[in-house]
Amino acid sequence: MSRIFSDWLKTFRNSINSYSYYIDFKKVYRQAENIKLEINLLNSLVGSREIEEDFEKLLRKYPECLKAIPFLLAVRQNKIFCQDEKGATSFRFDQETQSIQQYKYFMKKTGLFDLLQNHIISSLYDYVTGVEVGLDSNGRKNRGGHQMEDLVESYIKKTGHEYYKEMELKAIEEKWKIRLSSISADGTTTKRFDFVVKTPEKTFGIETNFYASAGSKLNETARSYKMIAQESKNIEGFSFVWVTDGAGWFKARHNLEETFNVLENLYNIKDMEDGAFKKLFS
């Protein structure tokens, strides 16, 4: 039974964000625990009426508390560069390289003394945990980039077939003696499939992506995969598979439709849920 492109496109998802996409709390807690001792030392300064003097005493007795200072500014590096009318300084916090006066100047100018002294916070550990949550939100792009691959891999695993991740054409040719020169322009270009599935009868090269928003990249991808689909049709023992999804395709539907018309093994998430891989690899 042939598929109708417009009906197929209607099943595309706006998002594939998992519950763990937003914040990796295990990482947050791990980062906070790594500097818990140093944070608790600095916590003794909360509400201090003589913040500069108390900071100096603390630093002389426990210089290791310096390690936690960058985290209070949402900085992961041990080096922080600052400049003002008095000049420029590169502060180190993994070791005591500046004078105590310079560190006191840093704490004052960055507003950390004010944060600690005026009870804006009551627990530095809670504060750092919140900072780590903010920093981890920057990792959503990386997590999002792997979500579709992880989802596709989960459905590949269910089939029970042998599979490989990020496999180059040359490796496929050498392992299974398949000539893929038509895809690689006679070996002049480097191509790598996200997944390669091996069944007793055939080898499948799989590409996967998810586009939540539109852009020129979608049209380029569709054209590129259309070419691979056409070139791979005459390769014995090999099939090209593309799994894609996302609302971004709604505005790039024409290029996607062109590929849909020439690539039989073009699937979306709904297809995988309906057992597309099980049928394809059987």
Side-chain angles (χ1 to χ4, degrees):
M1 180 178 178
S2 60
R3 300 186 296 172
I4 300 173
F5 177 77
S6 58
D7 292 338
W8 180 67
L9 190 63
K10 289 177 183 178
T11 64
F12 275 38
R13 312 282 171 88
N14 290 320
S15 172
I16 54 170
N17 294 340
S18 64
Y19 290 101
S20 60
Y21 164 77
Y22 298 96
I23 296 294
D24 183 352
F25 278 106
K26 288 183 179 179
K27 180 182 177 184
V28 167
Y29 301 144
R30 185 170 62 251
Q31 293 281 19
E33 282 295 316
N34 285 340
I35 56 167
K36 186 175 183 178
L37 176 61
E38 293 81 0
I39 284 296
N40 286 335
L41 288 170
L42 289 176
N43 200 72
S44 65
L45 298 175
V46 172
S48 170
R49 295 184 179 181
E50 304 293 336
I51 190 76
E52 294 192 30
E53 290 79 359
D54 289 342
F55 175 73
E56 181 172 340
K57 293 176 183 177
L58 182 66
L59 198 55
R60 290 188 185 280
K61 190 171 184 179
Y62 303 107
E64 63 270 22
C65 69
L66 285 171
K67 178 183 174 182
I69 291 176
F71 288 86
L72 303 184
L73 298 173
V75 176
R76 293 202 190 280
Q77 293 77 24
N78 289 317
K79 279 186 178 182
I80 298 181
F81 178 87
C82 295
Q83 66 178 31
D84 60 9
E85 67 280 358
K86 291 187 177 182
T89 304
S90 182
F91 291 89
R92 291 285 299 270
F93 295 92
D94 55 340
Q95 53 184 291
E96 193 175 357
T97 56
Q98 271 82 25
S99 68
I100 290 180
Q101 291 304 315
Q102 286 177 303
Y103 285 121
K104 286 166 65 175
Y105 188 77
F106 177 90
M107 297 288 287
K108 182 177 181 179
K109 295 291 285 185
T110 57
L112 288 177
F113 273 160
D114 183 55
L115 176 76
L116 295 167
Q117 187 176 39
N118 294 317
H119 271 274
I120 297 175
I121 56 172
S122 58
S123 168
L124 274 186
Y125 186 79
D126 291 346
Y127 170 86
V128 168
T129 301
V131 168
E132 283 297 330
V133 167
L135 288 172
D136 188 72
S137 67
N138 296 325
R140 289 176 187 168
K141 184 177 181 180
N142 291 332
R143 288 194 289 272
H146 292 290
Q147 283 192 117
M148 188 62 172
E149 290 181 10
D150 293 343
L151 184 61
V152 171
E153 185 176 10
S154 70
Y155 282 100
I156 292 175
K157 285 181 177 179
K158 290 179 181 179
T159 68
H161 286 290
E162 173 186 359
Y163 78 95
Y164 301 83
K165 297 177 66 174
E166 298 184 351
M167 196 170 190
E168 294 185 355
L169 295 188
K170 185 177 180 181
I172 297 172
E173 290 179 319
E174 292 176 352
K175 189 172 182 64
W176 294 296
K177 310 304 178 187
I178 302 173
R179 185 169 176 79
L180 302 174
S181 57
S182 60
I183 299 177
S184 63
D186 292 321
T188 59
T189 61
T190 301
K191 174 64 185 171
R192 181 176 60 185
F193 288 109
D194 292 328
F195 299 98
V196 174
V197 173
K198 185 69 178 72
T199 69
E201 294 79 21
K202 191 173 285 189
T203 301
F204 297 86
I206 304 173
E207 288 286 1
T208 181
N209 38 53
F210 184 93
Y211 295 108
S213 57
S216 59
K217 186 176 181 181
L218 283 78
N219 292 326
E220 294 172 9
T221 300
R223 284 192 293 267
S224 173
Y225 290 172
K226 178 184 177 182
M227 182 196 72
I228 295 176
Q230 292 171 326
E231 296 294 343
S232 63
K233 279 185 177 180
N234 297 321
I235 301 175
E236 187 177 352
F238 179 84
S239 284
F240 175 57
V241 181
W242 181 20
V243 184
T244 193
D245 212 310
W249 285 115
F250 296 151
K251 290 187 177 180
R253 57 177 295 158
H254 296 299
N255 288 85
L256 181 62
E257 187 172 10
E258 288 182 9
T259 308
F260 179 88
N261 291 332
V262 300
L263 179 56
E264 181 181 358
N265 300 325
L266 174 54
Y267 305 112
N268 63 11
I269 295 171
K270 181 67 165 54
D271 293 325
M272 292 192 296
E273 291 175 346
D274 291 341
F277 282 174
K278 186 176 181 180
K279 298 174 186 176
L280 181 63
F281 303 146
S282 62

